Amino acid sequence: MTHSGAHVYDPDRPAGSLHLRAARVLEGNWTGTSTVPSHGLYPHQWSWDSAFIAIGLRHLSPLRAQTELETLLGAQWGDGRIPHIVFNPSVPLDAYFPSPDFWRSSTAGRAAGAPRTVQTSGIVQPPVHALAAWLVHQADPGLSRSRSFLSRMYPRLAAWHRYLLHRRDLGGGGLASVVHPWEQGMDNSPCWDAPLSRVTPAAPRSFRRADLDHGSAEDRPTDLDYGRYVRLATDYRDGGYADGAGEFAVEDPAFNALLIASEHALAAIAQELGAAGTARHARAERLTAALVERLWDPAEGMFFCRDVYGGEGGDGGGSGALRSERRSPESGAHASERGSSESGAHGSERGSRSGALGPEQRSAESSAHASEQRSRTGALIPERSVAGLLPLILPALPRDIAATLVRTAGGPHFGLGGLARLAPSYDLTGHAFDPHRYWRGPAWFNTNWLLERGLRLHGEHGRAEELRAALLETADSSGFAEYVDPYTGEACGALGFSWTAALTLDLLHEPARANQADRTDRADQADESTHVVSHPGHRAFDKAQGTPPHTSHASHTPHTPHSSFETGAKGGDRG
């Protein structure tokens, strides 16, 4: 039992079980209002960590899972952004860098509506939050309704999506851009080398890296990379956190796939609150088409990041774009360095109001700059990252693309089910591959959890079950490590890592009946759709998680399908 009286583990589980040990990790990292990723290396609340943590916590204490998300969204900015860190004021400033006095959110972020009562960072992380909120609601709908959980979360989540879809469409193609490598979550990926090469690094003596106090320098980002991270963050802060004025803007397939999945979840939340959800399903369809249009490369068989401000005069599309660019401009530098409030759903779904968060603000200067940049098509970045496989979580991904992604995941570049125990974060054959260096090769539990869900969604139940078993075995043997060697499963980074424990719990709670229900649905739909995998969008993760204990209000009335996601009707090749 927790101090709040909520069950944190199933008392029928044997002592020392994986379930009980995962629960103890989350209990040990609980602060009373949120869960830190790890007490040593990451002593504050992180945005997408908390979303994944809530997905696991819902199996232990739905109340605590709701509180996790409520605490995070309580620090949301007036322009809608959810900051990537919410700082704990009791933690010393020198325990983590960049610290609150670097970000200066309450002053530098004043024009963007940063909160005055809590200190945060000024950048964001992948939008998993609506998906997490919907799954948390399903864990105990009665509790959720009694606390008005969804009706309080919905306007904040709607504002968050509006921010990404409007302020961050820096390429003009409908997709959200990240303006800092930390925003995508895969901080040190080789995908960032080329766009980062345009950034002048901050002076080495202008900052002190607290991360090296807790991890080996050989496993962490290089000083050169870190200097560029600091420079980008400093310029963003000094510009009042206005979007569109920086040197770095990248459209990432994983970030946008999670946004699309969360749009489907937001549609489900709207339906639970009495609205149709049709507009959000339609928006998710458009975003899926844009994702394929801008980031899919059929010749390479996967999605790639697009450098919005790079490759002028180069390719604007995908097909075969990468064959002549197999090396990043930055690879030499890396090699040498290593050697050396709205209360309801109706108003905010239309996207015309900002709700209780206050009016949106944008400077005329940043608006003009962003508009100027929209004419640039950019270029695909020739690096294979696990991010390029994660659109597999999308229910309306064209069938041929889903099948190709499955083949790519099991091929020589990622080795899933063969060479690698878990899917690596970066190409096994890539020039920058390192099995232990942060996001440049190690396998991570959250990305593999998403792949497991994507495989299951698209009918690859055998592969999904193999990956699930490998995830559980590796979580057990590694002590719930932050990340692992993709070949051996050797633990890297922090141990007792919260999202590893949380997603382990989620995999342990996956009921066998979910697999059978998924297979039955696919058999029923096999004759109805030949072009797209057409599960209802908001059911993409529901089916993987099993039937909730209670049905939503919407289930008590006849349901009218709103899109090809729900009817199983044939759709275009791009969803």
Side-chain angles (χ1 to χ4, degrees), residues 49 85 129 167 224 231 275-276 296 305 325 358 413 433 441 450 467 488 492 503 513-514 573:
D49 290 73
I85 301 175
H129 312 89
R167 304 292 186 86
L224 176 61
R231 171 66 66 190
W296 173 249
C305 293
E325 301 182 72
H413 298 293
F433 175 77
L450 288 166
L467 180 53
T488 67
C492 302
L503 297 177
R513 66 178 181 274
D573 287 344

Side-chain angles (χ1 to χ4, degrees), residues 258-506:
L258 288 168
L259 176 58
I260 295 167
S262 284
E263 269 292 302
H264 286 309
L266 212 50
I269 294 172
Q271 290 176 303
E272 165 69 20
L273 296 176
T278 310
R280 293 205 176 276
H281 281 309
R283 183 179 295 121
E285 289 181 342
R286 293 193 300 272
L287 288 169
T288 301
L291 186 74
V292 173
E293 175 69 27
R294 291 183 66 79
L295 304 185
W296 173 249
D297 189 308
E300 300 291 340
M302 65 182 298
F303 291 87
F304 289 85
C305 293
R306 180 174 291 276
D307 182 359
V308 173
Y309 298 160
E312 298 196 57
D315 89 282
S319 183
L322 307 179
R323 282 175 289 187
S324 63
E325 301 182 72
R326 297 319 312 164
R327 290 293 180 268
S328 159
E330 188 59 9
S331 60
H334 275 278
S336 70
E337 173 130 358
R338 283 194 294 272
S340 62
S341 177
E342 288 171 32
S343 61
H346 299 77
S348 45
E349 177 155 0
R350 290 191 294 270
S352 60
R353 295 156 56 190
S354 59
L357 299 176
E360 295 184 354
Q361 303 172 39
R362 178 191 293 181
S363 72
E365 180 180 352
S366 66
S367 295
H369 188 89
S371 177
E372 177 185 346
Q373 301 296 350
R374 287 177 185 275
S375 63
R376 298 188 180 183
T377 59
L380 295 184
I381 298 172
E383 300 289 358
R384 295 180 180 90
S385 160
V386 71
L389 303 178
L390 295 188
L392 201 60
I393 66 174
L394 299 179
L397 199 64
R399 187 178 296 277
D400 60 331
I401 290 180
T404 301
L405 283 177
V406 172
R407 289 195 298 271
T408 300
H413 298 293
F414 294 95
L416 190 60
L419 291 172
R421 177 180 296 196
L422 299 177
S425 51
Y426 175 68
D427 183 357
L428 294 170
T429 70
H431 68 97
F433 175 77
D434 185 326
H436 289 178
R437 192 179 285 275
Y438 209 62
W439 290 109
R440 300 181 82 85
W444 293 71
F445 286 83
N446 64 331
T447 55
N448 277 270
W449 177 85
L450 288 166
L451 279 176
E452 194 269 352
R453 290 309 187 238
L455 289 167
R456 202 173 297 281
L457 172 66
H458 290 283
E460 298 288 342
H461 299 288
R463 288 184 173 91
E465 195 55 40
E466 288 177 6
L467 180 53
R468 175 179 177 270
L471 279 163
L472 293 174
E473 179 186 353
T474 306
D476 189 5
S477 63
S478 71
F480 304 102
E482 180 182 1
Y483 53 98
V484 298
D485 184 306
Y487 291 118
T488 67
E490 176 190 349
C492 302
L495 301 182
F497 199 71
S498 288
W499 78 25
T500 304
L503 297 177
T504 295
L505 285 168
D506 194 61

